[in-house]
Amino acid sequence: MPPTIILVRHAQARHNAEKNFTLRDPDLTAEGHEQCADLRKSLVENPLVQQAELIVVSPLRRTVQTALRSVDWLVEKGVKVEADAGWQENSVQPCDTGSEVEKLMQEFPNVDFSKVDPVFPDKTSPAASHYHFTKEAILARAQASLKKLYERPEKVIVVVSHSAFLRLAVSNYWYFNADYRIFDFAPRTGPEDRYSLQQHESTMVKGGGLGRSWIDPIVLGSELPSEDPDAEGNGNSRGH
C-alpha cells in the first residue's frame, strides 16, 4: 500500500517578500517564521500528520527551515528528515538554486543530506539535465520523485517543497506560503501508468489545510517552458 503524503509549501522567504529573485537560496522572513507557527499548530492537531514516519525536504534553506519549525515535534519523536533534490523548485534563478551541501550539513545537522544528488545545486549543465527548466524535465522529475515515495515503506510522509513544482508538476493545486494539502496515490493498473494523486476532501474543499490557497485546480505542465528559456533569451521566468 503506497503512503499518504502531506505536501507542504515553505513559509514566506525573502525573495517572496522583496520580489527579488536574484537572492541566492534565501532564508525565511520574520513573517515566514510566524507562518511556521500557524502551520505547526495545524499539523500538530491533525491526527494523520501525527502518524508521519518520514519527512522529505527540498534541500533549499527555506524548505529546511520551514520543516524544522513546523514538524520539529516529529523530529523530537525520532522521525527522520531526509533532503531530496528532486523536490527543489523549477527555475534556475538564484532564489531557486540551492547552497552547497557541505554548508547545509553544517548548518542543519538534524537533516540527512547523504542521499542528495551529487550534481546538486547545479541545474544548468548537461550533467544536471534532469533539473533543467523545461516542461519535459520538470514533469519527469516529478514522476521520479513520486515513484520514490510510492515505493517507500512508510505509511504517512510529509514533504516540504515549493509552490510551482507542487502545483505545476506534482498535484495541479495551488499552495500559498506555509499551506499544505493531503493526498493518496491514485490506483495504478500497470507499470506504464503515471503516478498521480487524489486529494483528501479535508484540504481540497477549503483550499489547503490552513485554507490559505486557491481552491480551483490547474493543468499539470501549464506555464512550463517547452524549451530552456535561457536559450530563447528569456531567462527571467520562474515557471510560477
Side-chain angles (χ1 to χ4, degrees):
M1 175 75 73
T4 296
I5 58 175
I6 295 97
L7 299 181
V8 183
R9 182 191 175 185
H10 63 82
Q12 185 192 74
R14 285 186 57 203
H15 71 296
N16 299 132
E18 301 173 21
K19 306 301 181 186
N20 182 357
F21 304 140
T22 66
L23 296 171
R24 176 70 180 264
D25 196 11
D27 292 305
L28 296 182
T29 62
E31 182 176 346
H33 289 292
E34 294 176 2
Q35 291 173 345
C36 284
D38 293 338
L39 173 61
R40 184 183 192 277
K41 182 177 185 297
S42 180
L43 295 175
V44 166
E45 295 173 350
N46 190 303
L48 188 58
V49 182
Q50 292 177 9
Q51 301 174 44
E53 300 172 278
L54 177 69
I55 303 159
V56 176
V57 296
S58 158
L60 273 76
R61 298 175 57 81
R62 60 189 183 269
T63 41
V64 175
Q65 290 171 349
T66 298
L68 295 180
R69 286 162 175 77
S70 61
V71 287
D72 55 303
W73 52 281
L74 287 174
V75 178
E76 291 173 358
K77 290 166 54 177
V79 177
K80 183 179 180 180
V81 184
E82 185 175 296
D84 186 339
W87 291 94
Q88 65 184 304
E89 186 57 295
N90 295 342
S91 90
V92 298
Q93 291 292 311
C95 64
D96 294 333
T97 302
S99 303
E100 297 298 330
V101 170
E102 292 77 11
K103 181 179 179 181
L104 295 170
M105 291 174 65
Q106 293 176 0
E107 185 171 356
F108 305 109
N110 291 335
V111 178
D112 180 6
F113 292 95
S114 65
K115 297 178 183 178
V116 173
D117 189 338
V119 77
F120 179 86
D122 179 13
K123 299 175 81 172
T124 59
S125 75
S129 61
H130 45 305
Y131 300 119
H132 284 185
F133 184 35
T134 66
K135 180 176 181 179
E136 180 181 6
I138 292 168
L139 291 179
R141 172 158 63 91
Q143 283 293 294
S145 297
L146 287 173
K147 181 178 186 292
K148 287 169 68 173
L149 292 186
Y150 188 92
E151 296 173 348
R152 295 283 313 205
E154 295 86 1
K155 299 304 180 185
V156 179
I157 299 175
V158 176
V159 179
V160 185
S161 185
H162 305 264
S163 172
F165 184 64
L166 292 177
R167 182 178 84 251
L168 299 175
V170 176
S171 73
N172 70 283
Y173 281 95
W174 291 87
Y175 299 75
F176 284 19
N177 284 128
D179 208 354
Y180 67 96
R181 296 177 183 271
I182 302 175
F183 297 88
D184 290 318
F185 279 91
R188 302 178 73 242
T189 59
E192 301 303 318
D193 287 359
R194 63 183 298 275
Y195 294 89
S196 59
L197 302 174
Q198 296 177 333
Q199 186 173 182
H200 286 205
E201 186 175 358
S202 62
T203 58
M204 181 170 60
V205 297
K206 68 176 185 178
L210 293 174
R212 293 176 173 171
S213 306
W214 291 335
I215 295 175
D216 293 338
I218 59 91
V219 177
L220 283 179
S222 61
E223 305 175 43
L224 294 176
S226 57
E227 297 181 3
D228 186 343
D230 285 333
E232 301 172 359
N234 183 28
N236 293 324
S237 174
R238 293 187 60 223
H240 281 206

